[in-house]
Amino acid sequence: VNDNGSGWCFSCATHLPNYSTAEVQQTDTITDFEVYQRNSRMDNNSTATFNELTDRKISIDTAKKYGVKSTKTADGKIDQHYYPYYKLDTGEVSAAKVRDVKTKGFSSSGDVSGVGFFGQQQCTNNKYLTITEGELDVLAEYEMFYKQYDVVSLRSGANNASKEIKEQLEWLEGYENVVLCFDNDKAGDVA
């Protein structure tokens, strides 16, 4: 969201002149996309805790490794995920993406300047790295490969892959193998 109230959707590459009242039409690459106002829990997610993400078969250990917290409804169902983004120079959380489980919509808060890929702060392998398009992809791939390899995600999807990879090129060159694992859609194919 820009200072003037406009916004940009990195998922569907759409400019939103007035973010607070925007409606985006469904496309072949986005389902159940909904723009919504910031939830108060996003900026002060004191009710968020580490949980197993059972609908995605993500263990609590993986959620903890990547710092992913979630909130639950009164009946105990997870309704939001919080994905932290860390400053590369200080290691402090600078921004967060929030995923609404029901709508699959995203919102964010904080400052993404000076942050790397999602998950970059915990990387240690220096041999194999996989770059995905989304935070849930990171968690799933980390589980899938038995926690052996480093996995990170682009901050804002395939449309900005080239820019984000160039920003982190020096860091990426420390790996022997870098695998791009993007979605099988037009944006992923182009990237």
Side-chain angles (χ1 to χ4, degrees):
V1 179
N2 302 311
D3 290 339
N4 67 3
S6 68
W8 176 260
C9 174
F10 291 101
S11 295
C12 63
T14 301
H15 178 260
L16 308 167
N18 185 346
Y19 177 81
S20 65
T21 62
E23 291 182 19
V24 177
Q25 297 296 318
Q26 183 172 333
T27 69
D28 61 345
T29 59
I30 303 297
T31 58
D32 297 324
F33 181 81
E34 178 182 322
V35 177
Y36 54 91
Q37 293 294 322
R38 287 189 167 124
N39 183 312
S40 62
R41 288 184 296 174
M42 180 177 64
D43 292 319
N44 180 12
N45 61 8
S46 60
T47 60
T49 58
F50 292 114
N51 294 291
E52 181 178 6
L53 306 178
T54 54
D55 62 325
R56 296 297 184 118
K57 299 192 179 1
I58 304 300
S59 70
I60 192 168
D61 290 338
T62 296
K64 285 180 179 179
K65 179 172 182 73
Y66 284 91
V68 175
K69 293 184 176 183
S70 54
T71 55
K72 294 183 178 182
T73 61
D75 63 355
K77 293 182 180 178
I78 292 177
D79 63 342
Q80 290 186 324
H81 302 165
Y82 297 85
Y83 308 106
Y85 279 82
Y86 296 81
K87 288 274 189 194
L88 293 174
D89 58 350
T90 65
E92 295 176 4
V93 174
S94 174
K97 262 191 190 177
V98 180
R99 179 179 185 264
D100 184 279
V101 173
K102 184 177 180 182
T103 67
K104 300 180 184 176
F106 282 91
S107 57
S108 62
S109 68
D111 179 12
V112 295
S113 63
V115 301
F117 298 115
F118 171 75
Q120 186 171 342
Q121 79 287 347
Q122 60 75 41
C123 291
T124 60
N125 185 292
N126 290 328
K127 187 169 185 177
Y128 292 98
L129 175 74
T130 299
I131 302 174
T132 69
E133 276 193 57
E135 296 84 3
L136 277 173
D137 298 333
V138 168
L139 303 177
E141 195 143 334
Y142 185 73
E143 291 273 344
M144 186 171 47
F145 289 112
Y146 308 105
K147 305 170 175 103
Q148 295 179 37
Y149 308 114
D150 290 340
V151 186
V152 297
S153 171
L154 300 168
R155 289 186 311 267
S156 50
N159 290 319
N160 280 336
S162 179
K163 177 184 176 203
E164 290 184 36
I165 288 171
K166 285 177 184 174
E167 289 173 358
Q168 300 302 321
L169 192 56
E170 185 176 335
W171 178 75
L172 291 170
E173 288 175 340
Y175 284 87
E176 290 180 29
N177 301 284
V178 176
V179 176
L180 303 179
C181 188
F182 295 164
D183 294 349
N184 188 23
D185 57 14
K186 185 177 179 181
D189 289 343
V190 169

